[in-house]
Amino acid sequence: MATAAKIGIGSAINRVDGVEKVTGTARYAAEHPVENLLYGYIVEAAIAKGRIVSIDEEAARAVPGVIEVITHLNRPHVAWTDHSYQDELKIPGSPFRPLYDDRIQFSQQPIALVMAETFEAARYAASVVEVAYAAEAHNTDFEVAVGDKYVPKKKRSGYTAPKNRGDAAQAFADAPLKAAGDYRLAPEHHNPMEMFGSTVEWHGDGSITVWDKTQGSQGVHAYLASVFGFSKKKVRVLNPYVGGAFGSGLRPQHQVFLAVLAAKKLERSVRVTMIRNQMFSHAYRPQAIQSIALGAETTGKLTAIRNAATTSTSRYEDNMENVVTWGLMNYDCPNADAEYTVAQVDTATSADMRAPGAATGMTLFEMAIDEMAYEAKVDPLEFRLVNYSPIDAMNGTPYTSKALREAFREGAEAFGWSERSAEPRSMRDGKELVGWGCATGMWDAQFSKTSASAKLTANGHLEVACATSDIGTGSYTVMTLVAAETLGLPPEQITAKLGDSDLPTAPVEGGSWGAASTGAAVQLACQAVGKKLLKAAGEIAGAPLGDAKMDDVLFEDGCIVLKDTPTVRVPFGDAMHAADLTEIEEEETAAPGFGDMWKGLHKSKNTHSAIFAEVKVDEELGVVRVTRIVDAVAAGRIINPKTARSQILGGVVMGVGMALHEETFPDHRLGRWMNHNFGEYHVPVHADIHDIQVIFVDEPDPEVTPLGVKGLGEIGIVGTAAAIANAIFHATGKRVRSLPITIDKILD
Amino acid sequence: MPTAVNSATYAAVPIGTVPTTLTINGETRTRAIEPWTTLLDLLREGEDLIGTKKGCDHGQCGACTVLVDGRRINSCLKLAVTLDGAEITTIEGLGQPGDLHPLQSAFCDHDAFQCGYCTPGQICSAQGLINEGKAKTREEVRELMSGNLCRCGAYSNIIDAVLDVIGEQA
């Protein structure tokens, strides 16, 4: 009955928050109207390391409209232990404390905050703050720092140490065919379009409301309470709309600290926003060097994998990523070893950026795999199938599902891979060389403990709520669709609420666990409402549903329906009326292990993808155009094909940036990022993006997460740059082992 | 709609303001504006028209695109006092919830955004492009929309949406 029209999981509906976004009525962190607002502008350190000797604020204070200049010398009391500053990510080390003392740990470190009646007055006054420094020797050159690389004693949570197998050194020495090289990835900055900003409303009763650009309202809430000594009830953090983040908003960033600090000192409502060049003052994807050595038989069968990587971190924290494990997991090869180390530079701590670790380590590994395939004279796609591992080859465990073979088949067919001529420089289109490359992508299918509530009112309206975030990922829409599926209501009768620390508990949104975890929590909460409804229906005179249990009914078009006798239908309102209920509200928590997840307890859980890229390279100018991408993704169940496709498109576009454009250059003399603006830090623009086709491969997987969802936020970027790099080799015959592959490297 | 709570603050600053008359989304208003205030900051902080976004403040990202006398400009690069007598259209003036502009509908239908932050600028820029009348093909639209960055990577969906509307009007 009416199931054809039913909207639920799998329906390609428009984003439910779309109208707010296209009409400019969605308010982001720095856009919430508050009375008597003061504006803050951040003054940044001009040196990379040393001490502040003096700060001359006189000229700044003389600017009309300036209220205060806050520095380490006149700030209010803040917490002093490292523990108090630990955020949800718990990076080992001593977290950065803004305006704590005279110490400078990185260039662009915030050292003062100018507060004024207008943004312009604060900005101008900040420019006339004079700071004297005692500089110390610094190093921002990662290539120098790797000389002192090390394995951190305390590991970051979520870090997986690689497991060696066989004797990779001997097998590599004995291998008839070898490919080995050092591969590099430049530092990248997230650069979400919305700049970090916070609006703090000072209520005057010791409580504050904070609108913050963050991927986790409750993470910021806990941080502010801990650092400033607020009672948890006195702080509320909201992030209903977030203008992108890509990992840069996982940790509380310094503008929220500064905004609350200023509010506390001045007992006023304040707004602090970064400007674009200040967006380079904190999180960035670590720079990486990965030494990969592969050995194979003449048939193309891998015999040895050696995979060692170093990534950059700061002097004060050990940021670790899972860089070297992916290749060991993905390929069938009897001998493999790997090593992961970090090296310190005098920058802010590097950070998670879209698919942290995998976007680096799997991408660079897939560039090496292409070289090995060419050494073996085996088609790069065929090479991956020859060495295909149906199980997790590093841990020796089965996957809950791995439809990578199907992804390769469907992707290759859509791309037309069989038409490829193997020889480099063998395909042309006019004066452009044409190249086709492929690569594998891989990410974790994660699940994180999450709570949600569902409230049904007698008029048939359902509200589902969870403190998760929607950073453009589609969480509002996912929550709506899962609720529609579970209780059989149309999306128009459902409101999804998120981005508020007062709502049921959720972790930061990241790691691609959002849809699986929030979705499961919403489903549980809606099921609990369903149970209450069924119980309420028992109060109806004549008991039309008899003694039906939950398994005997379904929820459809706002009615409880007997499965066996679909003509027996009880509208929700009738049931609630009979039980004298005006609303039913339930809260539930989805924790790892429930449902069929226990069956997957000792299995590996991953998403996979097969990426095919076509490039056209101007032989004289070295200009590369990525004219075609096909990304076939195996990521379990897809909740909304429309928004899911967009997430993959977005990952692929960022992968194009990684392949061709994105690189932040330090000036090592100053210890400072030079190209800290959109004019010189290049991201893909409209003209760079041509045809991208996304395929979702059928991959039912009830064991991975309760809804069979694996998550999509990261997988689109992993391996994409490798497919492009491999296509550039195929087009030009030139191997470039460092990303991004800019024109100079092609013409060199 | 929330009220423009910051106008009073801006008007109260005593120094060197210039009376400027602007027609914003059909409504004419005269404001005392400091000569260094950009159109972008005036719209966002002074008029509470927060649909116009600040993405770089340097004319490098296009998030602040608005229409001035029908032409698209980066409002971060325009001092408000230089626009005396001008007609300004922001995203709020193109359409509202319940009464969407064709571009706004097309952006929804094509999922031409994710985080939504660059979206008002993309839409205003697309309207400016349509007003210019020179973009017809996918290639041309791509080229002439390249001043509007989208970090979520919704580019191909944005072009689909814009082409839909251009097609309807052709």
Side-chain angles (χ1 to χ4, degrees):
Chain A
M1 295 205 34
T3 44
K6 182 184 169 182
I7 291 175
I9 295 174
S11 302
I13 64 166
N14 285 358
R15 211 170 277 269
V16 299
D17 49 336
V19 169
E20 285 76 13
K21 287 176 174 175
V22 299
T23 53
T25 50
R27 283 184 186 268
Y28 297 79
E31 299 174 343
H32 290 273
V34 172
E35 300 283 348
N36 298 317
L37 197 60
L38 290 178
Y39 293 80
Y41 197 93
I42 300 166
V43 179
E44 300 180 314
I47 63 166
K49 194 174 190 175
R51 301 263 168 193
I52 299 167
V53 174
S54 64
I55 300 179
D56 182 352
E57 308 158 5
E58 198 183 334
R61 288 182 182 276
V63 174
V66 168
I67 301 290
E68 183 58 276
V69 179
I70 306 174
T71 69
H72 65 283
L73 297 169
N74 66 351
R75 62 160 171 78
H77 175 76
V78 291
W80 59 275
T81 64
D82 282 339
H83 180 73
S84 305
Y85 289 81
Q86 286 284 0
D87 53 70
E88 214 173 308
L89 267 65
K90 294 190 170 58
I91 309 280
S94 179
F96 172 60
R97 308 170 193 187
L99 307 194
Y100 190 77
D101 56 21
D102 62 352
R103 201 157 48 120
I104 307 289
Q105 293 170 288
F106 54 92
S107 184
Q108 290 196 283
Q109 174 182 320
I111 54 172
L113 183 72
V114 179
M115 297 303 304
E117 297 281 359
T118 66
F119 168 73
E120 292 87 345
R123 177 176 58 189
Y124 174 66
S127 74
V128 296
V129 172
E130 291 290 334
V131 183
Y133 304 95
E136 295 164 19
H138 64 263
N139 174 47
T140 50
D141 190 340
F142 177 63
E143 298 282 347
V144 171
V146 290
D148 297 317
K149 69 186 180 188
Y150 63 98
V151 179
K153 280 202 187 73
K154 188 168 183 208
K155 307 293 186 287
R156 186 182 163 187
S157 96
Y159 173 73
T160 306
K163 284 185 199 158
N164 298 343
R165 57 186 187 260
D167 184 346
Q170 190 60 48
F172 179 72
D174 296 343
L177 298 174
K178 298 183 207 303
D182 290 343
Y183 297 80
R184 286 174 164 79
L185 177 68
E188 297 178 334
H189 279 78
H190 306 66
N191 276 307
M193 293 307 297
E194 181 199 14
M195 299 186 285
F196 275 90
S198 307
T199 304
V200 179
E201 184 168 15
W202 182 263
H203 297 296
D205 59 357
S207 71
I208 54 170
T209 303
V210 182
W211 287 270
D212 187 34
K213 178 186 177 70
T214 174
Q215 290 172 247
S217 58
Q218 291 177 331
V220 170
H221 175 263
Y223 174 82
L224 294 177
S226 167
V227 166
F228 291 104
F230 284 105
S231 117
K232 289 198 168 180
K233 285 182 192 152
K234 297 285 189 185
V235 183
R236 184 179 178 197
V237 180
L238 298 113
N239 63 335
Y241 292 99
V242 182
F246 314 108
S248 61
L250 290 169
R251 309 183 73 182
Q253 293 300 349
H254 58 247
Q255 91 292 338
V256 72
F257 176 99
L258 294 173
V260 173
L261 188 78
K264 210 174 168 189
K265 181 171 177 67
L266 303 173
E267 301 190 342
R268 292 275 303 266
S269 296
V270 304
R271 174 173 297 159
V272 177
T273 48
M274 294 188 193
I275 60 168
R276 182 53 62 182
N277 78 34
Q278 293 172 341
M279 295 292 287
F280 291 74
S281 66
H282 53 110
Y284 72 100
R285 190 195 294 281
Q287 192 168 350
I289 298 178
Q290 193 165 339
S291 301
I292 306 167
L294 303 173
E297 305 286 357
T298 52
T299 56
K301 185 75 198 70
L302 279 169
T303 55
I305 293 173
R306 310 203 71 191
N307 195 14
T310 307
T311 57
S312 64
T313 189
S314 66
R315 299 273 181 214
Y316 53 92
E317 286 173 313
D318 286 330
N319 181 35
M320 303 177 76
E321 295 185 338
N322 292 322
V323 177
V324 295
T325 46
W326 308 99
L328 274 65
M329 290 168 74
N330 192 51
Y331 287 99
D332 180 50
C333 176
N335 306 290
D337 63 19
E339 180 190 67
Y340 174 70
T341 48
V342 299
Q344 294 180 344
V345 284
D346 290 299
T347 63
T349 306
S350 58
D352 293 337
M353 180 169 164
R354 202 168 205 163
T360 304
M362 186 66 178
T363 299
L364 298 177
F365 194 83
E366 285 294 295
M367 289 162 65
I369 286 286
D370 197 68
E371 291 201 37
M372 189 73 253
Y374 268 89
E375 282 300 317
K377 296 186 172 57
V378 175
D379 173 85
L381 171 56
E382 181 60 25
F383 185 88
R384 286 169 171 83
L385 295 174
V386 166
N387 293 291
Y388 192 89
S389 176
I391 64 161
D392 171 348
M394 184 177 85
N395 296 301
T397 44
Y399 290 102
T400 54
S401 62
K402 179 179 177 178
L404 177 59
R405 208 185 279 281
E406 292 72 17
F408 275 126
R409 194 182 60 238
E410 291 182 36
E413 195 177 308
F415 188 82
W417 184 262
S418 61
E419 304 296 312
R420 180 178 184 270
S421 79
E423 201 58 33
R425 303 181 65 86
S426 62
M427 292 165 65
R428 268 185 180 275
D429 178 9
K431 69 185 180 100
E432 287 177 308
L433 296 163
V434 176
W436 289 3
C438 70
T440 309
M442 200 175 170
W443 183 248
D444 295 319
Q446 302 184 79
F447 189 83
S448 231
K449 186 178 172 185
T450 301
S451 303
S453 63
K455 182 168 74 181
L456 180 70
T457 39
N459 63 3
H461 187 265
L462 178 69
E463 179 186 281
V464 288
C466 171
T468 190
S469 309
D470 188 332
I471 58 174
T473 40
S475 312
Y476 282 109
T477 313
V478 161
M479 289 170 69
T480 303
L481 283 176
V482 172
E485 171 86 17
T486 312
L487 280 176
L489 288 168
E492 308 80 67
Q493 281 172 242
I494 300 168
T495 305
K497 277 175 70 179
L498 52 75
D500 181 345
S501 61
D502 281 357
L503 296 176
T505 310
V508 288
E509 192 192 31
S512 294
W513 59 63
S517 312
T518 309
V522 167
Q523 187 187 47
L524 279 182
C526 289
Q527 283 168 345
V529 167
K531 276 181 204 156
K532 283 276 169 72
L533 270 173
L534 183 58
K535 192 171 169 224
E539 305 286 328
I540 296 174
L545 298 174
D547 58 355
K549 304 280 185 295
M550 277 295 274
D551 285 346
D552 306 323
V553 299
L554 48 86
F555 299 94
E556 195 176 82
D557 297 335
C559 297
I560 312 170
V561 181
L562 269 186
K563 278 183 190 166
D564 290 344
T565 324
T567 49
V568 178
R569 308 169 71 82
V570 173
F572 293 171
D574 291 4
M576 291 172 76
H577 183 73
D580 209 16
L581 295 170
T582 52
E583 64 176 46
I584 300 174
E585 182 166 13
E586 293 292 319
E587 182 174 326
E588 290 288 336
T589 299
F594 85 92
D596 279 341
M597 279 181 83
W598 64 272
K599 293 181 194 162
L601 200 58
H602 299 294
K603 294 182 182 176
S604 296
K605 303 169 189 71
N606 290 90
T607 50
H608 293 87
S609 69
I611 311 121
F612 298 84
E614 175 184 86
V615 299
K616 294 189 177 173
V617 185
D618 185 303
E619 204 176 354
E620 284 176 85
L621 300 176
V623 175
V624 180
R625 299 189 301 135
V626 180
T627 45
R628 240 167 15 104
I629 298 251
V630 173
D631 193 357
V633 179
R637 191 175 185 194
I638 303 301
I639 294 183
N640 180 346
K642 185 179 261 192
T643 54
R645 174 175 171 272
S646 291
Q647 272 197 296
I648 300 302
L649 288 177
V652 168
V653 168
M654 208 175 266
V656 172
M658 175 182 271
L660 301 179
H661 307 131
E662 295 191 34
E663 176 166 19
T664 325
F665 296 94
D667 179 329
H668 297 311
R669 294 166 305 168
L670 300 172
R672 192 173 176 90
W673 302 116
M674 289 188 291
N675 54 331
H676 49 12
N677 60 72
F678 272 139
E680 294 160 291
Y681 182 92
H682 292 167
V683 300
V685 304
H686 276 290
D688 295 311
I689 301 306
H690 298 253
D691 186 23
I692 304 171
Q693 185 181 348
V694 179
I695 297 168
F696 290 114
V697 177
D698 190 38
E699 194 185 56
D701 188 342
E703 295 175 2
V704 66
T705 63
L707 294 172
V709 168
K710 286 186 170 181
L712 293 167
E714 337 284 321
I715 187 67
I717 192 173
V718 185
T720 297
I724 295 167
N726 299 342
I728 290 172
F729 169 74
H730 183 233
T732 64
K734 185 167 177 107
R735 282 285 175 201
V736 179
R737 291 174 176 162
S738 71
L739 300 177
I741 302 178
T742 43
I743 290 172
D744 53 310
K745 294 176 188 172
I746 290 175
L747 295 180
D748 184 27
Chain B
M1 287 291 288
T3 51
V5 291
N6 299 320
S7 297
T9 311
Y10 269 62
V13 176
I15 44 165
T17 56
V18 180
T20 307
T21 301
L22 304 167
T23 302
I24 304 174
N25 301 330
E27 188 193 320
T28 302
R29 25 192 140 181
T30 300
R31 297 279 188 258
I33 301 172
E34 292 165 328
W36 50 76
T37 300
T38 63
L39 175 58
L40 174 60
D41 286 328
L42 177 81
L43 290 171
R44 285 172 65 80
E45 306 298 339
E47 305 295 330
D48 198 40
L49 289 168
I50 52 86
T52 306
K53 302 302 184 192
K54 185 183 279 194
C56 72
D57 229 4
H58 275 67
Q60 295 174 335
C61 79
C64 67
T65 305
V66 298
L67 298 162
V68 175
D69 297 327
R71 292 186 61 192
R72 51 181 173 161
I73 66 160
N74 287 325
S75 61
C76 72
L77 294 183
K78 196 72 181 172
L79 295 172
V81 294
T82 66
L83 292 170
D84 194 38
E87 282 215 25
I88 295 149
T89 305
T90 68
I91 190 71
E92 292 91 343
L94 282 182
Q96 293 284 330
D99 181 24
L100 296 183
H101 182 279
L103 278 166
Q104 291 169 324
S105 299
F107 268 60
C108 288
D109 291 341
H110 287 279
D111 204 35
F113 51 87
Q114 291 181 46
C115 80
Y117 199 79
C118 75
T119 312
Q122 299 277 358
I123 291 172
C124 287
S125 187
Q127 184 57 54
L129 177 80
I130 290 168
N131 294 349
E132 289 155 21
K134 55 189 173 195
K136 300 290 178 219
T137 66
R138 174 168 280 269
E139 193 86 0
E140 288 166 346
V141 174
R142 264 206 301 256
E143 186 66 31
L144 293 167
M145 286 293 290
S146 281
N148 290 84
L149 304 183
C150 169
R151 190 60 164 152
C152 296
Y155 292 126
S156 52
N157 290 348
I158 294 170
I159 302 301
D160 287 342
V162 175
L163 284 172
D164 252 17
V165 176
I166 289 177
E168 281 167 20
Q169 296 187 347

